[in-house]
Amino acid sequence: METPTPPDGDVLWARSLHHSHRGSPALTGIDAGVREGEILAVGGPRGAGKTTLLRCLSGQSVPTGGEVWFNGTPLHTLPAPQRERLRRERFGWIGPEPSLVPELTAWENAALPLLLRGVPHRRAKAAALEWLERLDIAAAARLRPHALTQAQRQRTATARALVAEPAVLFADEPTAALHRADAAQVLRTVLAAARSHRITVLLASHDPQVTAVADRVITLLDGRRADTPSAAGTEGLAACSLSV
């Protein structure tokens, strides 16, 4: 089968995307795409379908209808082992909860994607410590999750998502459980990394102040697109006071 040409050269895109949870529609006919290095926000109220969209675009969930393509690879038809490999090698994920491995220290959790790839221990540790330093928690690098604050755990999860410099970073409500100052720090680091390493970012949030940092925003309502694509980002990026 001939590979469809993505609209406007998008590296990740969906066409006529449908998904249901136990027979109840969660996404209905979604078209969406993101260009390399773009920061795309997915806004909308809780329950609008934001998480489901990110899960389908990242290959964690298989849509019940429609297509998802990443650089010419059809995620919607890939067998599960190949989707898992793609997620491990090309994608990063930050969720609203950090989901750290309790037996590992902060730096070991952050280094985990590299260690699983077979990167030498010393190099993986150095990379993890660099990201923890950027997130201002290098002093907690040897602590295990139970000894970290919620903000420190979320920053560790952010370092874990960025350490392998993924092609696409999916951030699903990454600041929902954080106070404003901690949320701003996480966002600054994610966006600075995206700019400096040409990482494509899909950022889902119900908070307009979070989605305002993106280059572009799409809005979901009851599993449907409820927006007209438009540029956002300039004012939001200025508000974050980013430095790369």
Side-chain angles (χ1 to χ4, degrees):
M1 182 179 66
E2 184 178 351
T3 301
T5 302
D8 300 322
D10 291 343
V11 296
L12 181 68
W13 61 286
R15 181 168 60 186
S16 300
L17 200 63
H18 292 257
H19 195 275
S20 298
H21 292 306
R22 298 176 181 175
S24 178
L27 297 176
T28 305
I30 297 290
D31 292 333
V34 58
R35 296 180 292 275
E36 181 182 3
E38 183 181 23
I39 299 169
L40 175 67
V42 183
R46 298 182 190 276
K50 301 184 299 297
T51 296
T52 302
L53 178 59
L54 262 62
R55 288 182 61 86
C56 287
L57 291 175
S58 65
Q60 294 185 55
S61 297
V62 178
T64 53
E67 306 173 22
V68 180
W69 294 81
F70 169 68
N71 280 341
T73 299
L75 270 66
H76 56 289
T77 59
L78 274 187
Q82 294 183 38
R83 290 202 316 275
E84 174 60 32
R85 180 177 179 179
L86 183 64
R87 291 200 303 271
R88 187 171 63 246
E89 295 182 353
R90 304 302 305 277
F91 296 162
W93 181 276
I94 308 171
E97 294 295 332
S99 300
L100 302 178
V101 180
E103 296 81 10
L104 301 182
T105 64
W107 82 257
E108 290 169 334
N109 269 286
L112 197 55
L114 297 179
L115 295 171
L116 291 174
R117 291 185 190 181
V119 173
H121 186 275
R122 181 175 296 179
R123 185 148 58 94
K125 182 177 182 179
L129 290 175
E130 179 182 346
W131 281 108
L132 293 176
E133 179 69 34
R134 292 188 190 188
L135 286 154
D136 292 337
I137 54 166
R142 296 185 179 278
L143 299 180
R144 289 182 169 79
H146 70 86
L148 301 174
T149 66
Q150 173 69 20
Q152 289 174 327
R153 289 194 292 271
Q154 189 68 349
R155 292 186 188 196
T156 300
T158 302
R160 180 182 59 192
L162 291 167
V163 71
E165 298 179 13
V168 182
L169 174 66
F170 296 88
D172 180 25
E173 299 282 8
T175 62
L178 302 178
H179 295 299
R180 284 290 174 185
D182 293 319
Q185 171 70 3
V186 167
L187 279 179
R188 280 195 298 268
T189 303
V190 168
L191 300 179
R195 299 303 187 197
S196 61
H197 296 286
R198 294 289 294 170
I199 298 172
T200 300
V201 178
L202 276 87
L203 171 65
S205 178
H206 67 279
D207 186 345
Q209 292 190 29
V210 173
T211 58
V213 306
D215 299 319
R216 187 163 54 94
V217 181
I218 65 173
T219 303
L220 300 187
L221 183 63
D222 296 332
R224 298 178 183 271
R225 286 282 296 266
D227 63 285
T228 299
S230 60
T234 305
E235 295 180 1
L237 288 172
C240 274
S241 303
L242 293 182
S243 59
V244 176

